[in-house]
Amino acid sequence: MADAPLYGRVAIIGLGLIGSSIARAARRAGGAGTLVAYDQSAFVRARVAELGLADVVADSAAEAAEGADLVIVCTPVGVSGAVAAEIGPRLKVGAVLSDVGSVKGAVVRDMAPHVPAHAVFIPAHPIAGTEDSGPDAGFAELFQGRWTILTPLSRADDAEVERLKAFWTAMGANVDAMSVEHHDLVFAIVSHVPHLIAYNIVGTAADLEEVTQQEVIKYSASGFRDFTRIAASDPTMWRDIFLNNRDAVLEILGRFTEDLQALQRAIRWGEGDALFNLFTRTRAIRRSIVEQGQDTAAPDFGRRPPAKTDAPQ
Amino acid sequence: MADAPLYGRVAIIGLGLIGSSIARAARRAGGAGTLVAYDQSAFVRARVAELGLADVVADSAAEAAEGADLVIVCTPVGVSGAVAAEIGPRLKVGAVLSDVGSVKGAVVRDMAPHVPAHAVFIPAHPIAGTEDSGPDAGFAELFQGRWTILTPLSRADDAEVERLKAFWTAMGANVDAMSVEHHDLVFAIVSHVPHLIAYNIVGTAADLEEVTQQEVIKYSASGFRDFTRIAASDPTMWRDIFLNNRDAVLEILGRFTEDLQALQRAIRWGEGDALFNLFTRTRAIRRSIVEQGQDTAAPDFGRRPPAKTDAPQ
């Protein structure tokens, strides 16, 4: 493209699903002059070089951050503080530091103290992903039509917030801003607690004595399999999310359990109307999600029946 | 096909997603000589005639069942007893009565007393469906590669069980048999409780004061939207399932809640290892489901990103 890139030098720390998708999408969008990558795993660094995801594969996070105009930390949130401690002193004057963590309060708590006054910290959270992990799982279209949320810490950063917003928009995302606290509550309900109950129901099923694991697998098309997709997400990432968004998750879990106990009571006492009314209300929300392009309108997510094969035993 | 159809005259009572899919699949497979359809809704009857789903659209369930070699009741399970009371006296000698209900104990309790001794009752449950409802939602491939479970009531019915099995196999299904009681426990865990917790989390989200419904919809790609698909299923059908599989659902719900409280405690006390171990264990189950052809291997169910449009507000 004829225009100059939004950032001359962009460093990505952590090349998993999200980091490697940013590398691919930023390159395609022309958002970075030079792309620098670092991952703490030597295996991932080698793979990034093989795949040609970056112009430079650095030997340390500090080296990657050195001289960068934009540094995006894409590690599990549990180590974001340690990464910030390492790169903070190396950030150049005017550098922008950002991240992609699914919780923002703990990330700000852990990273902000290491950001020097001459740099700007703008936390971010792209609402996109799949159940797969690692540099091979990423793809340039991951952020297309999805939301990325920025949680700026000060109005003084407005100009840099606009530039970061343009960077995400160039990668196909819609961009919103909100406060750190509100973010963590919103994502407790739309993401964290749903993941927790998906992990939980899969665990409950695996532990039943009267129903074999083979039966659970064979008959999973009746609802269960949808939960197993979510419950196949990266264990380290999700452990860190729950440990780092504790208060909001416990708050939402409390409400979830209270509501579930009311449903349980309705079933025990045969209160069909209470069930019917809830089940009707929830349909409307699905309709809005499809109408607003946040999910496919195709029944069953457009999954096609498998080819006919011999029945597995 | 050169072979004679498995059943001369097949009556389908209730032409929703499942009933209309059986009509389409049976015709394509040549499993029925004559297809007779009845639905209590005049609108659905008219639509069935328009779509040409059956050879005959009857004016009552009794008329549809008259002279049929196979009658399949595809209504919500809450009315299966009333349907059986109406058609039982009209079943001819040697007729097979079956159903497609997601619970079997209550269906046997409600239907069996109305089946005359000269007919055979073989309860059945095809493990297939989408979140859509009605005669337009059905399609001939719905049962392809999916399981259908028969819960025969007596060894004396073995020959008829084999014929019904062949009928389902011709429609693309794999067929299994198990006891009524075991069926209801298996489906409480793989289907009924997963649906209940999906309905419940969508309800909890809708009722939050601090997070708007619009935010829930916008950011639903972070996990929540998968639950809304399940929570968009037919309200009448699911009310009846919970009321009619009460004991097994309450038993599994008790275990689910117990396990969830242990996770909640692990989060409160920062026990990361307990979370990590569960999250690793649940990944293996997903892998088996994909390997056995019960779900797609494509990340995110193969959903593609939406076309880039202006951000909805």
Side-chain angles (χ1 to χ4, degrees), chain A residues 85-119:
Chain A
E86 182 184 344
I87 66 178
R90 313 291 277 270
L91 292 174
K92 75 174 188 184
V93 173
V96 172
L97 176 64
S98 191
D99 78 312
V100 297
S102 303
V103 303
K104 297 271 67 89
V107 162
V108 170
R109 177 196 69 203
D110 294 348
M111 292 182 74
H114 304 291
V115 183
H118 64 247

PDB file of all heavy atoms in Angstrom, chain A residues 85-119:
ATOM      1  N   ALA A  85       7.802  -6.749  33.327  1.00  0.00           N
ATOM      2  CA  ALA A  85       8.993  -6.411  34.122  1.00  0.00           C
ATOM      3  C   ALA A  85      10.255  -6.515  33.272  1.00  0.00           C
ATOM      4  O   ALA A  85      11.183  -5.723  33.413  1.00  0.00           O
ATOM      5  CB  ALA A  85       9.084  -7.338  35.342  1.00  0.00           C
ATOM      6  N   GLU A  86      10.256  -7.493  32.361  1.00  0.00           N
ATOM      7  CA  GLU A  86      11.441  -7.676  31.530  1.00  0.00           C
ATOM      8  C   GLU A  86      11.537  -6.612  30.427  1.00  0.00           C
ATOM      9  O   GLU A  86      12.622  -6.078  30.159  1.00  0.00           O
ATOM     10  CB  GLU A  86      11.409  -9.079  30.884  1.00  0.00           C
ATOM     11  CG  GLU A  86      12.664  -9.342  30.044  1.00  0.00           C
ATOM     12  CD  GLU A  86      12.638 -10.684  29.312  1.00  0.00           C
ATOM     13  OE1 GLU A  86      11.803 -11.558  29.680  1.00  0.00           O
ATOM     14  OE2 GLU A  86      13.442 -10.847  28.375  1.00  0.00           O
ATOM     15  N   ILE A  87      10.424  -6.297  29.805  1.00  0.00           N
ATOM     16  CA  ILE A  87      10.504  -5.389  28.648  1.00  0.00           C
ATOM     17  C   ILE A  87      10.342  -3.923  29.006  1.00  0.00           C
ATOM     18  O   ILE A  87      10.774  -3.053  28.249  1.00  0.00           O
ATOM     19  CB  ILE A  87       9.473  -5.765  27.548  1.00  0.00           C
ATOM     20  CG1 ILE A  87       8.033  -5.541  28.041  1.00  0.00           C
ATOM     21  CG2 ILE A  87       9.665  -7.205  27.078  1.00  0.00           C
ATOM     22  CD1 ILE A  87       6.980  -5.857  26.993  1.00  0.00           C
ATOM     23  N   GLY A  88       9.715  -3.634  30.164  1.00  0.00           N
ATOM     24  CA  GLY A  88       9.444  -2.242  30.530  1.00  0.00           C
ATOM     25  C   GLY A  88      10.651  -1.328  30.367  1.00  0.00           C
ATOM     26  O   GLY A  88      10.579  -0.296  29.674  1.00  0.00           O
ATOM     27  N   PRO A  89      11.795  -1.703  30.943  1.00  0.00           N
ATOM     28  CA  PRO A  89      12.969  -0.830  30.874  1.00  0.00           C
ATOM     29  C   PRO A  89      13.499  -0.636  29.450  1.00  0.00           C
ATOM     30  O   PRO A  89      14.287   0.272  29.193  1.00  0.00           O
ATOM     31  CB  PRO A  89      14.008  -1.574  31.724  1.00  0.00           C
ATOM     32  CG  PRO A  89      13.216  -2.511  32.587  1.00  0.00           C
ATOM     33  CD  PRO A  89      12.002  -2.863  31.799  1.00  0.00           C
ATOM     34  N   ARG A  90      13.112  -1.493  28.524  1.00  0.00           N
ATOM     35  CA  ARG A  90      13.610  -1.413  27.152  1.00  0.00           C
ATOM     36  C   ARG A  90      12.697  -0.633  26.219  1.00  0.00           C
ATOM     37  O   ARG A  90      13.029  -0.464  25.050  1.00  0.00           O
ATOM     38  CB  ARG A  90      13.816  -2.828  26.577  1.00  0.00           C
ATOM     39  CG  ARG A  90      14.552  -3.754  27.517  1.00  0.00           C
ATOM     40  CD  ARG A  90      16.014  -3.328  27.686  1.00  0.00           C
ATOM     41  NE  ARG A  90      16.828  -3.841  26.617  1.00  0.00           N
ATOM     42  CZ  ARG A  90      17.450  -5.023  26.650  1.00  0.00           C
ATOM     43  NH1 ARG A  90      17.355  -5.798  27.721  1.00  0.00           N
ATOM     44  NH2 ARG A  90      18.175  -5.428  25.623  1.00  0.00           N
ATOM     45  N   LEU A  91      11.519  -0.238  26.717  1.00  0.00           N
ATOM     46  CA  LEU A  91      10.576   0.464  25.838  1.00  0.00           C
ATOM     47  C   LEU A  91      11.118   1.844  25.493  1.00  0.00           C
ATOM     48  O   LEU A  91      11.546   2.593  26.363  1.00  0.00           O
ATOM     49  CB  LEU A  91       9.204   0.599  26.520  1.00  0.00           C
ATOM     50  CG  LEU A  91       8.432  -0.707  26.713  1.00  0.00           C
ATOM     51  CD1 LEU A  91       7.154  -0.461  27.528  1.00  0.00           C
ATOM     52  CD2 LEU A  91       8.084  -1.358  25.378  1.00  0.00           C
ATOM     53  N   LYS A  92      11.054   2.189  24.216  1.00  0.00           N
ATOM     54  CA  LYS A  92      11.605   3.485  23.802  1.00  0.00           C
ATOM     55  C   LYS A  92      10.604   4.608  24.089  1.00  0.00           C
ATOM     56  O   LYS A  92       9.429   4.337  24.386  1.00  0.00           O
ATOM     57  CB  LYS A  92      11.977   3.447  22.318  1.00  0.00           C
ATOM     58  CG  LYS A  92      10.817   3.507  21.349  1.00  0.00           C
ATOM     59  CD  LYS A  92      11.365   3.617  19.911  1.00  0.00           C
ATOM     60  CE  LYS A  92      10.241   3.874  18.933  1.00  0.00           C
ATOM     61  NZ  LYS A  92      10.725   3.880  17.537  1.00  0.00           N
ATOM     62  N   VAL A  93      11.048   5.814  23.981  1.00  0.00           N
ATOM     63  CA  VAL A  93      10.178   6.967  24.204  1.00  0.00           C
ATOM     64  C   VAL A  93       9.041   6.945  23.182  1.00  0.00           C
ATOM     65  O   VAL A  93       9.284   6.785  21.981  1.00  0.00           O
ATOM     66  CB  VAL A  93      10.980   8.286  24.084  1.00  0.00           C
ATOM     67  CG1 VAL A  93      10.035   9.499  24.153  1.00  0.00           C
ATOM     68  CG2 VAL A  93      12.025   8.362  25.198  1.00  0.00           C
ATOM     69  N   GLY A  94       7.813   7.058  23.663  1.00  0.00           N
ATOM     70  CA  GLY A  94       6.663   7.076  22.774  1.00  0.00           C
ATOM     71  C   GLY A  94       6.154   5.707  22.371  1.00  0.00           C
ATOM     72  O   GLY A  94       5.179   5.596  21.622  1.00  0.00           O
ATOM     73  N   ALA A  95       6.808   4.653  22.870  1.00  0.00           N
ATOM     74  CA  ALA A  95       6.345   3.305  22.522  1.00  0.00           C
ATOM     75  C   ALA A  95       4.956   3.050  23.101  1.00  0.00           C
ATOM     76  O   ALA A  95       4.600   3.584  24.156  1.00  0.00           O
ATOM     77  CB  ALA A  95       7.325   2.255  23.054  1.00  0.00           C
ATOM     78  N   VAL A  96       4.175   2.226  22.400  1.00  0.00           N
ATOM     79  CA  VAL A  96       2.877   1.791  22.911  1.00  0.00           C
ATOM     80  C   VAL A  96       2.995   0.320  23.314  1.00  0.00           C
ATOM     81  O   VAL A  96       3.472  -0.504  22.534  1.00  0.00           O
ATOM     82  CB  VAL A  96       1.771   1.959  21.855  1.00  0.00           C
ATOM     83  CG1 VAL A  96       0.464   1.324  22.322  1.00  0.00           C
ATOM     84  CG2 VAL A  96       1.573   3.438  21.542  1.00  0.00           C
ATOM     85  N   LEU A  97       2.574   0.026  24.544  1.00  0.00           N
ATOM     86  CA  LEU A  97       2.532  -1.356  25.010  1.00  0.00           C
ATOM     87  C   LEU A  97       1.073  -1.765  25.079  1.00  0.00           C
ATOM     88  O   LEU A  97       0.224  -1.027  25.600  1.00  0.00           O
ATOM     89  CB  LEU A  97       3.182  -1.458  26.400  1.00  0.00           C
ATOM     90  CG  LEU A  97       3.126  -2.837  27.069  1.00  0.00           C
ATOM     91  CD1 LEU A  97       3.926  -3.874  26.277  1.00  0.00           C
ATOM     92  CD2 LEU A  97       3.648  -2.755  28.513  1.00  0.00           C
ATOM     93  N   SER A  98       0.752  -2.931  24.527  1.00  0.00           N
ATOM     94  CA  SER A  98      -0.612  -3.426  24.604  1.00  0.00           C
ATOM     95  C   SER A  98      -0.591  -4.923  24.894  1.00  0.00           C
ATOM     96  O   SER A  98       0.489  -5.529  25.029  1.00  0.00           O
ATOM     97  CB  SER A  98      -1.373  -3.117  23.307  1.00  0.00           C
ATOM     98  OG  SER A  98      -2.753  -3.377  23.466  1.00  0.00           O
ATOM     99  N   ASP A  99      -1.770  -5.528  25.007  1.00  0.00           N
ATOM    100  CA  ASP A  99      -1.849  -6.959  25.267  1.00  0.00           C
ATOM    101  C   ASP A  99      -3.135  -7.485  24.637  1.00  0.00           C
ATOM    102  O   ASP A  99      -3.837  -6.724  23.962  1.00  0.00           O
ATOM    103  CB  ASP A  99      -1.816  -7.242  26.780  1.00  0.00           C
ATOM    104  CG  ASP A  99      -3.152  -6.963  27.429  1.00  0.00           C
ATOM    105  OD1 ASP A  99      -3.724  -5.875  27.160  1.00  0.00           O
ATOM    106  OD2 ASP A  99      -3.678  -7.824  28.162  1.00  0.00           O
ATOM    107  N   VAL A 100      -3.436  -8.753  24.857  1.00  0.00           N
ATOM    108  CA  VAL A 100      -4.659  -9.348  24.307  1.00  0.00           C
ATOM    109  C   VAL A 100      -5.402 -10.167  25.361  1.00  0.00           C
ATOM    110  O   VAL A 100      -6.223 -11.026  25.035  1.00  0.00           O
ATOM    111  CB  VAL A 100      -4.343 -10.255  23.093  1.00  0.00           C
ATOM    112  CG1 VAL A 100      -3.731  -9.447  21.967  1.00  0.00           C
ATOM    113  CG2 VAL A 100      -3.411 -11.408  23.504  1.00  0.00           C
ATOM    114  N   GLY A 101      -5.098  -9.912  26.631  1.00  0.00           N
ATOM    115  CA  GLY A 101      -5.609 -10.766  27.707  1.00  0.00           C
ATOM    116  C   GLY A 101      -7.129 -10.702  27.860  1.00  0.00           C
ATOM    117  O   GLY A 101      -7.739  -9.652  27.659  1.00  0.00           O
ATOM    118  N   SER A 102      -7.713 -11.818  28.270  1.00  0.00           N
ATOM    119  CA  SER A 102      -9.162 -11.925  28.441  1.00  0.00           C
ATOM    120  C   SER A 102      -9.622 -11.338  29.772  1.00  0.00           C
ATOM    121  O   SER A 102     -10.821 -11.279  30.030  1.00  0.00           O
ATOM    122  CB  SER A 102      -9.585 -13.386  28.376  1.00  0.00           C
ATOM    123  OG  SER A 102      -9.162 -13.953  27.165  1.00  0.00           O
ATOM    124  N   VAL A 103      -8.692 -10.975  30.646  1.00  0.00           N
ATOM    125  CA  VAL A 103      -9.044 -10.215  31.850  1.00  0.00           C
ATOM    126  C   VAL A 103      -8.203  -8.943  31.825  1.00  0.00           C
ATOM    127  O   VAL A 103      -7.087  -8.938  31.308  1.00  0.00           O
ATOM    128  CB  VAL A 103      -8.799 -11.003  33.160  1.00  0.00           C
ATOM    129  CG1 VAL A 103      -9.577 -12.309  33.152  1.00  0.00           C
ATOM    130  CG2 VAL A 103      -7.341 -11.272  33.395  1.00  0.00           C
ATOM    131  N   LYS A 104      -8.743  -7.890  32.347  1.00  0.00           N
ATOM    132  CA  LYS A 104      -8.031  -6.620  32.246  1.00  0.00           C
ATOM    133  C   LYS A 104      -7.602  -6.081  33.608  1.00  0.00           C
ATOM    134  O   LYS A 104      -6.523  -5.494  33.722  1.00  0.00           O
ATOM    135  CB  LYS A 104      -8.886  -5.577  31.512  1.00  0.00           C
ATOM    136  CG  LYS A 104      -9.204  -5.957  30.059  1.00  0.00           C
ATOM    137  CD  LYS A 104      -8.181  -5.491  29.020  1.00  0.00           C
ATOM    138  CE  LYS A 104      -6.822  -6.095  29.063  1.00  0.00           C
ATOM    139  NZ  LYS A 104      -6.637  -7.313  28.294  1.00  0.00           N
ATOM    140  N   GLY A 105      -8.375  -6.273  34.650  1.00  0.00           N
ATOM    141  CA  GLY A 105      -7.999  -5.747  35.961  1.00  0.00           C
ATOM    142  C   GLY A 105      -6.655  -6.298  36.421  1.00  0.00           C
ATOM    143  O   GLY A 105      -5.746  -5.552  36.790  1.00  0.00           O
ATOM    144  N   ALA A 106      -6.497  -7.603  36.370  1.00  0.00           N
ATOM    145  CA  ALA A 106      -5.261  -8.228  36.838  1.00  0.00           C
ATOM    146  C   ALA A 106      -4.091  -7.882  35.925  1.00  0.00           C
ATOM    147  O   ALA A 106      -2.955  -7.728  36.394  1.00  0.00           O
ATOM    148  CB  ALA A 106      -5.444  -9.754  36.908  1.00  0.00           C
ATOM    149  N   VAL A 107      -4.360  -7.745  34.634  1.00  0.00           N
ATOM    150  CA  VAL A 107      -3.295  -7.395  33.693  1.00  0.00           C
ATOM    151  C   VAL A 107      -2.784  -5.977  33.985  1.00  0.00           C
ATOM    152  O   VAL A 107      -1.575  -5.724  33.995  1.00  0.00           O
ATOM    153  CB  VAL A 107      -3.800  -7.526  32.238  1.00  0.00           C
ATOM    154  CG1 VAL A 107      -2.910  -6.772  31.265  1.00  0.00           C
ATOM    155  CG2 VAL A 107      -3.903  -9.000  31.837  1.00  0.00           C
ATOM    156  N   VAL A 108      -3.704  -5.063  34.243  1.00  0.00           N
ATOM    157  CA  VAL A 108      -3.299  -3.699  34.577  1.00  0.00           C
ATOM    158  C   VAL A 108      -2.531  -3.699  35.904  1.00  0.00           C
ATOM    159  O   VAL A 108      -1.477  -3.063  36.032  1.00  0.00           O
ATOM    160  CB  VAL A 108      -4.530  -2.769  34.635  1.00  0.00           C
ATOM    161  CG1 VAL A 108      -4.154  -1.407  35.214  1.00  0.00           C
ATOM    162  CG2 VAL A 108      -5.141  -2.620  33.242  1.00  0.00           C
ATOM    163  N   ARG A 109      -3.038  -4.431  36.866  1.00  0.00           N
ATOM    164  CA  ARG A 109      -2.362  -4.535  38.168  1.00  0.00           C
ATOM    165  C   ARG A 109      -0.936  -5.049  38.006  1.00  0.00           C
ATOM    166  O   ARG A 109       0.005  -4.527  38.607  1.00  0.00           O
ATOM    167  CB  ARG A 109      -3.167  -5.496  39.065  1.00  0.00           C
ATOM    168  CG  ARG A 109      -2.570  -5.787  40.430  1.00  0.00           C
ATOM    169  CD  ARG A 109      -3.223  -7.033  41.043  1.00  0.00           C
ATOM    170  NE  ARG A 109      -2.833  -8.237  40.298  1.00  0.00           N
ATOM    171  CZ  ARG A 109      -3.538  -9.380  40.277  1.00  0.00           C
ATOM    172  NH1 ARG A 109      -4.671  -9.483  40.936  1.00  0.00           N
ATOM    173  NH2 ARG A 109      -3.100 -10.418  39.585  1.00  0.00           N
ATOM    174  N   ASP A 110      -0.754  -6.047  37.140  1.00  0.00           N
ATOM    175  CA  ASP A 110       0.546  -6.705  37.015  1.00  0.00           C
ATOM    176  C   ASP A 110       1.498  -6.002  36.039  1.00  0.00           C
ATOM    177  O   ASP A 110       2.708  -6.051  36.215  1.00  0.00           O
ATOM    178  CB  ASP A 110       0.360  -8.161  36.559  1.00  0.00           C
ATOM    179  CG  ASP A 110      -0.358  -9.004  37.602  1.00  0.00           C
ATOM    180  OD1 ASP A 110      -0.507  -8.537  38.761  1.00  0.00           O
ATOM    181  OD2 ASP A 110      -0.791 -10.126  37.264  1.00  0.00           O
ATOM    182  N   MET A 111       0.950  -5.391  34.991  1.00  0.00           N
ATOM    183  CA  MET A 111       1.827  -4.813  33.960  1.00  0.00           C
ATOM    184  C   MET A 111       2.107  -3.323  34.179  1.00  0.00           C
ATOM    185  O   MET A 111       3.236  -2.857  33.961  1.00  0.00           O
ATOM    186  CB  MET A 111       1.228  -5.010  32.558  1.00  0.00           C
ATOM    187  CG  MET A 111       1.189  -6.460  32.085  1.00  0.00           C
ATOM    188  SD  MET A 111       0.522  -6.649  30.375  1.00  0.00           S
ATOM    189  CE  MET A 111       1.877  -6.041  29.356  1.00  0.00           C
ATOM    190  N   ALA A 112       1.093  -2.563  34.572  1.00  0.00           N
ATOM    191  CA  ALA A 112       1.228  -1.099  34.611  1.00  0.00           C
ATOM    192  C   ALA A 112       2.436  -0.605  35.423  1.00  0.00           C
ATOM    193  O   ALA A 112       3.115   0.341  34.998  1.00  0.00           O
ATOM    194  CB  ALA A 112      -0.075  -0.469  35.108  1.00  0.00           C
ATOM    195  N   PRO A 113       2.738  -1.214  36.564  1.00  0.00           N
ATOM    196  CA  PRO A 113       3.860  -0.691  37.352  1.00  0.00           C
ATOM    197  C   PRO A 113       5.209  -0.756  36.628  1.00  0.00           C
ATOM    198  O   PRO A 113       6.155  -0.072  37.020  1.00  0.00           O
ATOM    199  CB  PRO A 113       3.882  -1.608  38.590  1.00  0.00           C
ATOM    200  CG  PRO A 113       2.511  -2.177  38.681  1.00  0.00           C
ATOM    201  CD  PRO A 113       2.030  -2.303  37.268  1.00  0.00           C
ATOM    202  N   HIS A 114       5.287  -1.576  35.573  1.00  0.00           N
ATOM    203  CA  HIS A 114       6.571  -1.729  34.877  1.00  0.00           C
ATOM    204  C   HIS A 114       6.677  -0.858  33.633  1.00  0.00           C
ATOM    205  O   HIS A 114       7.680  -0.915  32.931  1.00  0.00           O
ATOM    206  CB  HIS A 114       6.765  -3.203  34.485  1.00  0.00           C
ATOM    207  CG  HIS A 114       6.687  -4.136  35.651  1.00  0.00           C
ATOM    208  ND1 HIS A 114       7.649  -4.170  36.635  1.00  0.00           N
ATOM    209  CD2 HIS A 114       5.752  -5.037  36.024  1.00  0.00           C
ATOM    210  CE1 HIS A 114       7.318  -5.070  37.550  1.00  0.00           C
ATOM    211  NE2 HIS A 114       6.165  -5.612  37.204  1.00  0.00           N
ATOM    212  N   VAL A 115       5.630  -0.087  33.352  1.00  0.00           N
ATOM    213  CA  VAL A 115       5.652   0.747  32.137  1.00  0.00           C
ATOM    214  C   VAL A 115       6.229   2.117  32.474  1.00  0.00           C
ATOM    215  O   VAL A 115       5.682   2.831  33.324  1.00  0.00           O
ATOM    216  CB  VAL A 115       4.228   0.906  31.556  1.00  0.00           C
ATOM    217  CG1 VAL A 115       4.264   1.714  30.262  1.00  0.00           C
ATOM    218  CG2 VAL A 115       3.589  -0.467  31.317  1.00  0.00           C
ATOM    219  N   PRO A 116       7.314   2.503  31.820  1.00  0.00           N
ATOM    220  CA  PRO A 116       7.941   3.800  32.136  1.00  0.00           C
ATOM    221  C   PRO A 116       7.037   4.949  31.681  1.00  0.00           C
ATOM    222  O   PRO A 116       6.204   4.782  30.793  1.00  0.00           O
ATOM    223  CB  PRO A 116       9.246   3.778  31.340  1.00  0.00           C
ATOM    224  CG  PRO A 116       9.021   2.783  30.246  1.00  0.00           C
ATOM    225  CD  PRO A 116       8.054   1.768  30.780  1.00  0.00           C
ATOM    226  N   ALA A 117       7.244   6.106  32.285  1.00  0.00           N
ATOM    227  CA  ALA A 117       6.387   7.264  32.012  1.00  0.00           C
ATOM    228  C   ALA A 117       6.473   7.716  30.562  1.00  0.00           C
ATOM    229  O   ALA A 117       5.540   8.323  30.042  1.00  0.00           O
ATOM    230  CB  ALA A 117       6.749   8.418  32.944  1.00  0.00           C
ATOM    231  N   HIS A 118       7.560   7.392  29.877  1.00  0.00           N
ATOM    232  CA  HIS A 118       7.705   7.847  28.489  1.00  0.00           C
ATOM    233  C   HIS A 118       7.023   6.920  27.479  1.00  0.00           C
ATOM    234  O   HIS A 118       7.103   7.125  26.276  1.00  0.00           O
ATOM    235  CB  HIS A 118       9.193   8.033  28.134  1.00  0.00           C
ATOM    236  CG  HIS A 118       9.987   6.755  28.164  1.00  0.00           C
ATOM    237  ND1 HIS A 118      10.983   6.517  29.088  1.00  0.00           N
ATOM    238  CD2 HIS A 118       9.930   5.639  27.394  1.00  0.00           C
ATOM    239  CE1 HIS A 118      11.499   5.315  28.884  1.00  0.00           C
ATOM    240  NE2 HIS A 118      10.869   4.761  27.865  1.00  0.00           N
ATOM    241  N   ALA A 119       6.366   5.864  27.974  1.00  0.00           N
ATOM    242  CA  ALA A 119       5.630   4.960  27.085  1.00  0.00           C
ATOM    243  C   ALA A 119       4.146   4.996  27.461  1.00  0.00           C
ATOM    244  O   ALA A 119       3.766   5.576  28.475  1.00  0.00           O
ATOM    245  CB  ALA A 119       6.168   3.536  27.195  1.00  0.00           C
TER     246      ALA A 119
END
